[in-house]
Amino acid sequence: MFIDALKSIWLESGFSVLTWQHLVMIAVACVLIYLAIVKKFEPLLLLPIAFGVLLANLPLADLMKKEIGDIQGGLLYYLYLGVKKGIYPSLIFLGIGCMTDFGPLISRPSSLIMGAGAQFGIFMAFIIANLLGFTPQEAASISIIGGADGPTAIYTTARLALDLLGPIAIAAYSYMALIPIIQPPIMRALTTKEEREVKMEQLREVSKLEKICFPIIVTIFCVLLLPSVAPLIGMLMLGNLFKESGVVDRLSDTAQNALMNIVTIFLGVTVGATANAENFLQPQTLAIIALGLLAFMFSTVGGLLIGKLMYKLSGGKINPLIGSAGVSAVPMAARVSQVVGQKANPSNYLLMHAMGPNVAGVIGSAVAAGILMALFG
Amino acid sequence: MHMTFGESLLVSLFSMFIVFVVLVSILVLIQLFSKLLALGSTQSGSCKPVESEKRVQPAAPAPAAFVPGPELSTGELRLKNVDEKTAAMIMAIVSDESSIPLSELRFKSIKLIEEES
C-alpha cells in the first residue's frame, strides 16, 4: 500500500518524465540567472527571462499549456498573449519614450544618418540568414537582433516567426548586455587615435516647442509612410510627448515606472517560457546566436563608417566614435562611445553627443522592422 | 519559400535605402521646423534666441516662495530670514539640479517659510 502510494506520487511528479533536454535547459536557466544576479547583465530583463526558461522546462507544470475548449490554459499562456499580440513591446516603447530625451538629436539632426548607417548589420544578417536556409520571415526576425532593440526584435518575431521567439529574444538581450565587450575592439580597429581624440562642440540648446513638436511630426511622417511601424513609433512618440508636454506628469511617471516594470515582468517571464527544450535545443538556435552576433558587429561597423564619413565632411569636428551608438541599446551604446573616447582623450565627454545617434538608432531599427514586416508580414 | 542570394541582396539594398530616406526626411523636417521657429521669433520682433526648455522649466524655487516686488537685476537678491551662506547653497543646488550656470540664473528673493504648528 505504502509502496503503491509512493509509486503513484513518483509517476505523477515531474521527476518521472524529466529528460536530459530538460536538464540542459534548467542548466541554461541557472547560467542566465547567475549572469543576471552576479554579473548584472541586463538583470531587469534577464532575470525574468531566465526564470521563465526555468518554469517552462519543469515537466508537467504546464504553465504554457494552451487553452483547449473548456480546459484552462497555463498562467504563462495567458500572459504570453500580450507578446503574441504585440502589446508588451509597444507598451515598453511607451515607457522608453517617456524616458528618452530627443534633445541631442534635434540639436544635431545629422545624428539621424548615423542611426540609419547602424542598421547595416540587420540587412547583412538578413542576407546571410537567407543563405543558411532560413525562410525570409525567419531571416527578417533573426536579422532585427542587429537593431539592438529588444522590444523591436520581439515585436517583429511575434509577427513573422513566432517559433523563433525564445532564441531571438535571449540572443537580443544577451548581446545588448555584452555591448561593452563587443563594440570597443571594433571601434578601435576602425578609427585612428586622432579621430578618437576629437572633442566635439557643445550642442545648441533646444527649445521646448521643438521638443513638443518632434514626436508629433515624426509620428505623422513615419506612420503615414510605414503604417506597419505605427504600434512601435506611435507608442514611443506618445510617451515622449507625455514627457515633453509637461502637463501629464502623472501619466509620464506611470508609463516609465509602474507600467514599464509590470510589462517588463510579463514580457520577460513569458518570452523566457517560450524557450522550451523542444524548440530551443535545435541546431538553428546556434545559427541564430551566431547571426545575432554578426548583425551586432556589422551594425557597429555601419555606424562607425558613417561616423568616419561625417568626420571627413565636417573637417574633423565630429568624433566618429559616436557613430557606433547608432545601434540603439539606449543608453549603453552611448556610454561605450563615452568610455572609448575618454580613453583616447581623458578630457573628452562624448556622452551627450552620442545620445543623438543612439536615439536615432531606436527610430532607425523600428523603421527597419516596419519595412521587413511590410515586405514579409 | 526561400530567397536566392540575389533576391535577398536586392531586398537588403532596397530596405537600407528606405531606412536612409526615412531618417534623412526626418532630418530635413527637423531642420525646416527649427528654421521656421527661428524665423518666427525674429519676425515677432524678439531678438532673443529661441526660449530654451531649460528656461521654461521652473528653475527657481516654487512661485509661492517669491516675494512680489519690483524687477531686480542680477546681484540684487532679497534675503528674508536666510543667511548668506544658506542662500549661496540654495542657489548652487538650484543651478546644479537645473543644469543652468549660476551666471544665467536670476534669483529675486530667498525667504524662509515658517512651518505651521
Side-chain angles (χ1 to χ4, degrees):
Chain A
M1 177 78 177
F2 177 69
I3 299 225
D4 282 347
L6 277 181
K7 203 173 169 183
S8 167
I9 290 172
W10 171 257
L11 287 175
E12 283 176 24
S13 76
F15 287 107
S16 64
V17 286
L18 203 61
T19 63
W20 68 268
Q21 287 97 334
H22 290 128
L23 290 173
V24 170
M25 289 309 294
I26 290 168
V28 168
C30 291
V31 170
L32 293 176
I33 290 171
Y34 168 81
L35 290 176
I37 296 173
V38 181
K39 297 289 178 185
K40 297 192 170 48
F41 282 179
E42 292 270 334
L44 288 176
L45 263 157
L46 200 54
L47 194 58
I49 287 178
F51 210 79
V53 175
L54 181 69
L55 288 172
N57 289 284
L58 297 174
L60 303 184
D62 285 340
L63 286 170
M64 282 293 273
K65 189 176 76 176
K66 286 182 185 170
E67 182 186 85
I68 304 167
D70 291 339
I71 302 168
Q72 284 285 305
L75 168 70
L76 298 186
Y77 165 77
Y78 294 110
L79 294 180
Y80 180 61
L81 290 175
V83 176
K84 210 171 165 181
K85 305 288 180 193
I87 297 167
Y88 299 154
S90 306
L91 291 179
I92 295 253
F93 257 54
L94 178 73
I96 292 173
C98 290
M99 290 189 276
T100 303
D101 178 10
F102 284 104
L105 175 65
I106 302 168
S107 178
R108 185 179 285 122
S110 58
S111 303
L112 281 155
I113 300 172
M114 288 186 241
Q119 309 311 315
F120 176 59
I122 293 178
F123 301 107
M124 279 302 291
F126 176 76
I127 295 172
I128 300 170
N130 271 302
L131 285 176
L132 290 177
F134 286 100
T135 65
Q137 286 79 8
E138 290 170 342
S141 303
I142 295 166
S143 62
I144 212 76
I145 298 173
D149 194 329
T152 305
I154 290 170
Y155 186 83
T156 311
T157 309
R159 287 274 176 284
L160 300 180
L162 195 58
D163 290 346
L164 300 184
L165 191 58
I168 287 178
I170 289 172
Y173 281 110
S174 304
Y175 290 137
M176 278 165 66
L178 292 173
I179 275 183
I181 297 166
I182 296 170
Q183 283 196 323
I186 303 170
M187 293 162 81
R188 282 191 292 268
L190 288 181
T191 53
T192 62
K193 190 162 190 304
E194 187 191 352
E195 287 170 341
R196 291 197 293 275
E197 283 176 347
V198 171
K199 282 178 85 169
M200 293 177 67
E201 285 171 14
Q202 201 175 354
L203 296 167
R204 75 169 173 90
E205 284 188 1
V206 176
S207 72
K208 188 174 176 69
L209 184 59
E210 281 176 286
K211 285 190 173 185
I212 289 175
C213 291
F214 177 78
I216 301 168
I217 292 170
V218 171
T219 304
I220 293 171
F221 178 72
C222 286
V223 175
L224 283 178
L225 191 71
L226 284 167
S228 58
V229 90
L232 294 178
I233 292 285
M235 288 293 109
L236 179 74
M237 294 303 159
L238 173 64
N240 192 247
L241 191 58
F242 280 171
K243 172 182 186 284
E244 299 301 347
S245 66
V247 293
V248 285
D249 287 344
R250 279 166 50 197
L251 301 188
S252 175
D253 177 56
T254 302
Q256 64 182 289
N257 293 304
L259 181 64
M260 184 86 157
N261 291 340
I262 291 167
V263 176
T264 301
I265 294 169
F266 290 172
L267 182 81
V269 176
T270 53
V271 162
T274 59
N276 57 41
E278 293 78 33
N279 289 338
F280 201 83
L281 294 179
Q282 301 283 340
Q284 67 179 16
T285 302
L286 288 178
I288 289 168
I289 289 169
L291 282 166
L293 180 61
L294 273 179
F296 248 84
M297 292 165 75
F298 278 118
S299 287
T300 305
V301 169
L304 282 170
L305 290 180
I306 296 284
K308 281 175 80 80
L309 180 69
M310 292 180 72
Y311 167 81
K312 297 274 181 209
L313 292 177
S314 65
K317 286 181 181 168
I318 290 180
N319 190 319
L321 288 177
I322 65 169
S324 67
V327 300
S328 309
V330 182
M332 199 183 288
R335 280 195 207 129
V336 172
S337 299
Q338 157 74 17
V339 169
V340 177
Q342 210 161 37
K343 268 186 188 161
N345 180 355
S347 64
N348 214 351
Y349 291 92
L350 292 177
L351 187 64
M352 283 315 287
H353 303 288
M355 283 308 292
N358 207 191
V359 294
V362 177
I363 300 173
S365 54
V367 169
I371 295 167
L372 291 172
M373 283 188 285
L375 289 173
F376 303 113
Chain B
M1 191 196 82
H2 291 274
M3 289 177 93
T4 62
F5 173 72
E7 286 171 333
S8 55
L9 183 66
L10 261 180
V11 167
S12 294
L13 288 174
F14 168 75
S15 305
M16 197 70 202
F17 173 73
I18 299 287
V19 170
F20 267 96
V21 167
V22 172
L23 294 195
V24 169
S25 305
I26 296 173
L27 184 161
V28 173
L29 283 172
I30 293 173
Q31 284 184 329
L32 273 176
F33 187 72
S34 298
K35 280 191 181 138
L36 275 176
L37 273 182
L39 198 71
S41 63
T42 313
Q43 278 182 347
S44 66
S46 162
C47 295
K48 287 184 287 183
V50 180
E51 193 183 20
S52 77
E53 184 216 13
K54 285 174 182 172
R55 288 165 205 277
V56 173
Q57 281 179 344
F66 283 99
V67 178
E71 285 285 307
L72 298 170
S73 63
T74 311
E76 290 177 308
L77 171 66
R78 190 186 303 169
L79 302 180
K80 199 170 175 185
N81 297 331
V82 178
D83 60 67
E84 284 184 3
K85 195 178 164 189
T86 309
M89 260 169 52
I90 289 169
M91 289 190 287
I93 290 167
V94 170
S95 169
D96 184 55
E97 288 291 318
S98 61
S99 304
I100 301 174
L102 260 178
S103 56
E104 291 180 24
L105 280 173
R106 194 176 66 177
F107 292 85
K108 288 180 179 175
S109 71
I110 298 176
K111 119 178 154 175
L112 178 72
I113 299 173
E114 299 292 342
E115 278 184 36
E116 288 176 23
S117 54

